[in-house]
Every structure is written in C-alpha cells, then in structure tokens.
Amino acid sequence: MSNPERKPESPVRKKTRDHGVSATLQGVPSHNQSLVLLAILALLLTLIIIPKGGGAPAHYAPGDIASRDIKAPRDLLIPDLELTEKKRREAQQAVLPLYDYDPSVGRGLADRLGQVFTLLKEGPQDNLAPGNLQPEVEKILGVNLGEKEFKTLVALASQEEIHAALQQGLVKALKTKAVANLRLFQQDRNRGVTVRNLVSNSETELADLTTVVGVGELRNRILAAVKGVAGLKKSNGKVLADLLGRLARPNLTFNKNATEERKRLAAEAVQPILSQVKKGEMIVREGARVSADQVKKLTAVRALNKDQGRLPLATGLLLTIFLLLIVCNNYADRNISKYRLKSRDLFFLVTTFIGLMVLIKLSIFIVAAVDTAFPMIESSSFFYLFPFAAGAMVVRIVLNSEIALVFAALIALVVGFMFGNSLFLSLFTLVGSLTGAHWVRHCNERSTLYRAGWHLSLINMATVVGLHLLGGQQLDLQLLYKLGFAFGGGIFSAIVVTAAVPLVETVFKYTTDIKLLELANLNTPVLRQLMVQAPGTYHHSIVVGNLAEAGAEAIRANPLLARVAAYYHDIGKIKKPLYFVENQSGSENRHDKLTPSMSALVLMAHVKDGVELARENRLGDALIDILRQHHGTALMKFFYDKAKNQQDPDVQQVDERDYRYPGPKPQTREAALIMLADAVEAAGRTLADPTPARIQGMVQKIINNIFIDGQLDECELTLKDLHNIAKSFNRILAGIFHYRIDYPEPVHKEKDQTKKKNGDHSDRESGQESADRSGHARKGSAEDLKRLGMS
C-alpha cells in the first residue's frame, strides 16, 4: 500500500503476516535471508548486463555515429595491421634474389677434357679397340658423342702441344658469370642480386648486372677461346667448340628456396607497428562520426576484453553490484526509520528490479533492430524512450517514499553499468525516478498515474537539454529527437506502471491506493451486506470514514487508506448485529440476559470475525491490520464495572485483562485515527445537546482517555498530531450536529391541531411526554458514555 508513515513493527504485529508469500519468507527477514536475496539479485543483474560485451564498445564501421563516449580502460598499444603488413612487404622486397656462383665450373670442364685426352692418348687397355673407348669418354664428359666428335677428340689427343692452351682458354672463358635465362635475370637489373660463392661461401651484392652473360654468349666465348689455340685445325676447332658449347653449364644459378626463406625471415623480423593510447584517453565521443583509425582502437579494446575473458569481467561486476546492494540496504535499514523491509517487501523489490532491467534489455535489442531503419537518428537518442522511472514509481505506490529513494539510486547506478558506465544516463534515470515517485505519492485515482507521466515527461525533457549542453553538443536536430523520445519516455513509464500495479497486487497481495479506490465503492458485497444486516453499524462506519479522512489530511497521513479502513473496520458485526447498540432500534438489549464476561467475549469476537471476513473478501493486509488494531487493548469499561458490581466477595476477583480487547495496539497513524474516530463518533451520538463547546469537550476527553490508556504508544502520532486531529473532528461533528431552525408547521398540521382542539385523536406527543423523553435522553447519555468507557 502507499504508506508514508511506516515504522518498526511491534512484537505483536510481527505475528501477523501475509499468507500469500512462501513460508520461507515469512516474518522479518534474517541477515542470511537478506544476503541470499541480494546475492541472487546481483547475480541476475550480472547475467543481464554482461551479454554483448557488457562495458565493451559496440561494433562500429567507419562513418558510423558513436552512441556514447568511449574511453580507453587502460594504457593500450594498438597494432596497426595495415602499416605492419606494408612494412613487412617492404622488408621482403628489400631482400635481393640469391644466386649461387660456382667458380669451379670452367676448371672442372677443363679437367674432364684433360682426362679424355689422357685416356685416348694412352690407348685402350686389355687389348680393346680404340672405338670401344667412346662409352668411357661419354661417361667422363656426361654427354653422348657423335662419331665425328669422338674422332676429333681422338685426333686431338695426340697433339699435346695444344692441350694446355686449350684448357687455359676454356677456364678463362668459363670464368665469366653466366646464367641460364639472361632475360629473367635482367628483371632484377634495378635492384641488384646477391651472389653467393659456393667455394668460399662468401656473399657479395652484384649491382652491375651487365657483367653477367647468358648461355649463348658463353658458347661464343668458348668458340673464341678454341679459335685462339695455336696449331688447332679449323675443322677440328669447330667440332670441339660445338662439343664444349654443349658441355658448358651456367655457373650462376637462382636459388629460389633460399630466397623465399630469406624473405620470410625478413618479414618475421619486422616488429608490429603500434600506436599508444593512454588510460582514460577519449577514443570517440558520443554523436561523433567514427573514423577508420578509431575503429582500430575500438577493435583493440574489444580484443582486450576478449583476451581478459568474460569471467574476470563478470566477477568484477558481480562483486561491485553485490557490495552496492549490501551497503545501501544496511545503511538504509539502520539510518532511515521508515526503511523496514519484510521478506515480502524485499522479494518484491528484487522482482521489480529484475523485471525493470529485463524490460530495459529488451528495449536495447529492439532499438538495435530498428536503428538501421532510421539512420538519421543517433542510437543513443532512443535510450530516452526507455521507462527507467517505472520501477521507482511502482515501489512508491506499493511501499513508501524512503524505499523508493533507495531504489531509485540503485537503479540509476546499475543503468550506468549497463550502458558502459554512462554518467549521463545514470543522472537521467535518477532524476526521472525521483520525479515519477513524487507524483504518485497519493494515487487517489487512476488518472494520477498519467498526470505523473506528464510531469515526468516535462522533467525528462529538461534533463535532456541540460545533459545535451553539458556534453558540449550543438543545438541541432538530434536534440529535437531526444526531446521527443524523452517526452514519450514519461508517458511510456506511466503505461508500464498502470499495467504493473494490478499484477503486483495479485502476486504479492499488496493493497495499493488503486486497490483502495476499488474498495472505496460502497457497493462492494461486504458493505452491502453490512448495510442490510447492520444498518446502524454501516451508518456509523460512513461517519467514522469522514472523521478519519479529515484527520488524515490534517496530519498528512494517507486519507484514502483511513477512509476505506473506516468503512470496513466493523464488518465483523455482521455476524451478530443485534448485540451492538447501534443496530437494536429500541428493542431489548440482548446483553441484559448475558453475564458481563460473555458480553465481553461477544464484543471481542467482532474483531476476529472482521478479520476472517476481510480475508474471505481479499481486502489486503493493510485493512486487515487496521481491523485487528482499531480497538487496540482498550478496556470494555461498562462490562468491567458491571462485573465488579456483581462479583461475589467470596470468589475470585474480576481480572481486568478479561475485559480488554486482544490487540495489538495501533501500529500506524491510520490505525490510530480509526480508533480515535470510532470512539468519538460513538460518543457523539450520546450528546443530548451537541453544541460546539460540548462537542469540543467530548472529543478532547476521549482523546485524552485513549492517550492515557497507552493505546497510542506504538504509533508515530505526536501531541501536535493529536491536537490537529481533535480540531478536524470538531469541525466534522459540528457539521453533523449543526443547529436547525424551527420551521413553521405545514397547513395539514394546522388542520390536525384544529381537530385536536375539537377532541379528535392526534399522533403528537404532549409537552410533558416530550419533557420526560428529553430527561430520559440526558440520563441515557451518561449511561452510554460509561458503557463506552469514556466517563
């Protein structure tokens, strides 16, 4: 219910619990129960916030608009992949092609040629014919010889004077660097090549590639060397030159495998190019266009979170939220007098918290889906449409303003966590939640929710303007979008609250002001039954309702709760209406035939019967508590005195506790108001001449007696409150018992008087009878006051 005056519960009231909550949550929650519920809340909030990276930045492409400010969580070295790859390509290109140079090619060919000459000169062994040496010669030279070529070699074998010159010319000719494909080799003309000497294993960079020749040029040089040998016949020289041309091999060959390996090593040797980002450095601001360089930094931040893993992030968030909940709850419980949570209250707050966060999370997913359809609107603008204030509004309607304040502070901080530590959204949520909670403090009609939504919309818009300017942003079209969404957010919150309150009433068995509005209808079944079976009590309850409502307004309590509770406070009299004087209509008093103790039990029973009827009709805890407390532990003085007068001195004395209501005493200001209004209205009926002075004296006397009896010890009424209540009671009673003028009798009455003078029968009482009745009324007034225990 909406109860602005909640207070610590008395030991008696702790026994009265809502049966709609699980037995494990009955009673005031122990420390362990509170820890368990808050731990569950922290865990669920962590599971809601962490998906999609939690605090990690969203995925952006170059040209996108940033939805929030993003700062570097720590010092970062951002690898520049493109620049690193470029440097690696440059390093690979800087590696010169590796060619292996074998300077022993010419000497080896000359030596093989000398071996052939020696073999042919010495002649065949083992009596073989000279022609049989050809296979041996071919094996030494490594080529197949034609008949003419073999004969030329045989002829030259005997000419020893040309052997040395021929070998020296051949070595000189093959000393020149030669490659197999000169055209391909010349493609590296601009860069040069690396030449590795296979004999000395040394490397040199060959920049002048013009000194390298191809195979054709190599053969030309061999031919020139052969022609320069003195004493060599021209015909033999041509055949020998062709043969040696075939035997010549390039002494400079490209080593592809070694070149590729060197390029790989060169690329790996290039260190990644890194750009430094300092901790706290602003990577991108909300509303700014994201550049390609910023995308790289945001990707690195996401990779950092991914490398760290979700578990550390989730653990940190869980611990932070749990500590926040525990500290706030303990501080409020020990320092705020009206922050007293039963198990049902704490369970309701946890459920409301989770429900609101789930609703916000679903709203985020919806915004992500529709964002692409409205590219002209920044993603962050949609956030102001979310019903952030709905939770605090529901809590204020169901519980009280102090609990709603703590709830609003917590929900604002958690929203900041959810939106990447956004201070602006935390402020927006806090201001909106407090505004919404304020305007639903007395929800006396359903339109109050939409009036609260209207005020919330206006405050949301003002907050958006302030935050927009605080962020250093320009007054542009985006501000208009934000204002529109902020206005819609207030109305949306009111709609959510309107739908949520009936669900809360059903699930948690709370009696809210909206529920009280329904119960205030005098056509409810139980009130109609009271009107038919106990009309005097029904009328009494209506008047008590007017008195209690006026008193609640005077002391700033809940007028609606006071009035509705007054309507139902005596419904227990339905079961035995004729045992209560207001329903007897002049018939005999049934208590005359009962002993005082039995009469006291009958009167006490109407409290118990009322509680049972209230539960059957689902009136709620708030009204049930007031039904149980509206007599407190007051003494039924009339029957107590009657018992004392009838007691036998020889038997046990009368125990006063047998003539007191079972209680408990009023725990709230509204319950105390019902007690005071009930007694004052009953006593007011006994006044014979209810002048303002007598009414004031009677009211003051009744309040003093109740106060002295200690019935107000467990509620928060002050002496100033009692004074204001008495003033409001006097005003209402003065209006009820106001002075009436004596109207002249109508014509038919005058005719009746004429008939009376002529001796006709008349229904009017004689003056003496009236005087007697008046005297009897005055005597009865004192008797009734004594019966009520007020004299």
Side-chain angles (χ1 to χ4, degrees), residues 37-316:
L37 282 175
L38 295 179
I40 292 174
L41 174 59
L43 178 61
L44 293 177
L45 290 177
T46 301
L47 295 177
I48 292 173
I49 294 174
I50 283 297
K52 290 192 69 176
H59 291 268
Y60 290 106
D64 290 347
I65 304 300
S67 61
R68 60 183 175 88
D69 293 341
I70 302 176
K71 296 182 180 179
R74 69 175 191 179
D75 290 344
L76 297 174
L77 293 175
I78 311 299
D80 192 332
L81 300 180
E82 293 182 1
L83 184 58
T84 301
E85 187 63 26
K86 179 180 178 182
K87 292 294 183 182
R88 288 175 176 171
R89 288 195 300 269
E90 292 176 354
Q92 289 177 338
Q93 293 173 0
V95 175
L96 298 179
L98 178 64
Y99 283 79
D100 291 332
Y101 171 59
D102 188 359
S104 64
V105 171
R107 174 55 59 184
L109 181 58
D111 291 344
R112 293 200 305 275
L113 185 61
Q115 293 177 13
V116 170
F117 286 155
T118 301
L119 177 64
L120 295 176
K121 178 182 177 182
E122 294 178 352
Q125 298 179 1
D126 300 331
N127 298 318
L128 294 176
N132 295 331
L133 292 175
Q134 185 173 347
E136 293 292 333
V137 173
E138 291 178 347
K139 182 177 180 181
I140 294 173
L141 295 178
V143 295
N144 295 325
L145 298 176
E147 180 180 358
K148 187 175 182 179
E149 292 174 336
F150 181 72
K151 289 180 178 180
T152 301
L153 291 176
V154 171
L156 293 176
S158 59
Q159 300 179 11
E160 296 182 359
E161 66 278 5
I162 67 171
H163 289 174
L166 183 61
Q167 289 178 330
Q168 291 177 359
L170 183 61
V171 170
K172 183 178 180 181
L174 293 179
K175 189 176 182 179
T176 303
K177 296 180 177 64
V179 294
N181 192 330
L182 184 61
R183 181 176 297 178
L184 292 177
F185 179 79
Q186 288 178 343
Q187 291 181 356
D188 298 320
R189 183 185 301 276
N190 296 330
R191 296 191 302 145
V193 296
T194 299
V195 176
R196 180 173 62 181
N197 192 315
L198 297 179
V199 175
S200 63
N201 202 28
S202 61
E203 294 184 5
T204 58
E205 183 176 339
L206 184 62
D208 186 9
L209 303 184
T210 58
T211 60
V212 179
V213 299
V215 175
E217 178 62 23
L218 183 63
R219 291 173 179 172
N220 293 334
R221 293 191 180 193
I222 292 174
L223 178 61
V226 171
K227 289 181 178 180
V229 176
L232 184 63
K233 293 182 179 180
K234 185 175 181 180
S235 59
N236 291 336
K238 185 176 185 314
V239 173
L240 182 60
D242 292 340
L243 174 60
L244 292 177
R246 285 201 299 137
L247 293 175
R249 295 287 182 268
N251 57 8
L252 192 64
T253 57
F254 175 58
N255 194 330
K256 182 177 181 181
N257 292 335
T259 301
E260 294 297 329
E261 179 65 14
R262 291 189 177 194
K263 288 185 177 182
R264 184 185 66 79
L265 295 176
E268 291 179 354
V270 175
Q271 297 296 327
I273 307 300
L274 304 175
S275 60
Q276 187 179 27
V277 178
K278 301 296 289 183
K279 180 181 179 180
E281 179 180 339
M282 184 67 70
I283 297 178
V284 63
R285 292 191 177 276
E286 178 183 0
R289 190 178 297 277
V290 181
S291 65
D293 183 59
Q294 289 171 328
V295 169
K296 297 177 184 177
K297 296 179 180 180
L298 295 177
T299 302
V301 173
R302 283 196 304 273
L304 174 65
N305 292 333
K306 185 177 181 180
D307 292 339
Q308 292 176 343
R310 289 286 182 88
L311 183 59
L313 180 62
T315 303

Side-chain angles (χ1 to χ4, degrees), residues 1-2 6 18 21 341-349 397-399 501-513 515 618-622:
M1 69 174 186
S2 178
R6 296 187 64 175
D18 178 32
V21 183
L341 298 180
K342 299 182 292 184
S343 291
R344 178 182 62 167
D345 299 335
L346 190 57
F347 189 70
F348 158 70
L349 291 175
I397 291 173
V398 174
L399 298 175
V501 168
L503 182 62
V504 170
E505 293 173 345
T506 302
V507 174
F508 295 98
K509 309 301 180 184
Y510 281 114
T511 304
T512 65
D513 281 350
K515 178 67 174 179
R618 299 180 181 179
L619 299 186
D621 255 4

Side-chain angles (χ1 to χ4, degrees), residues 70 72 335 429 545 704 760 775:
I70 302 176
N335 296 278
T429 302
N704 289 342
D760 294 337

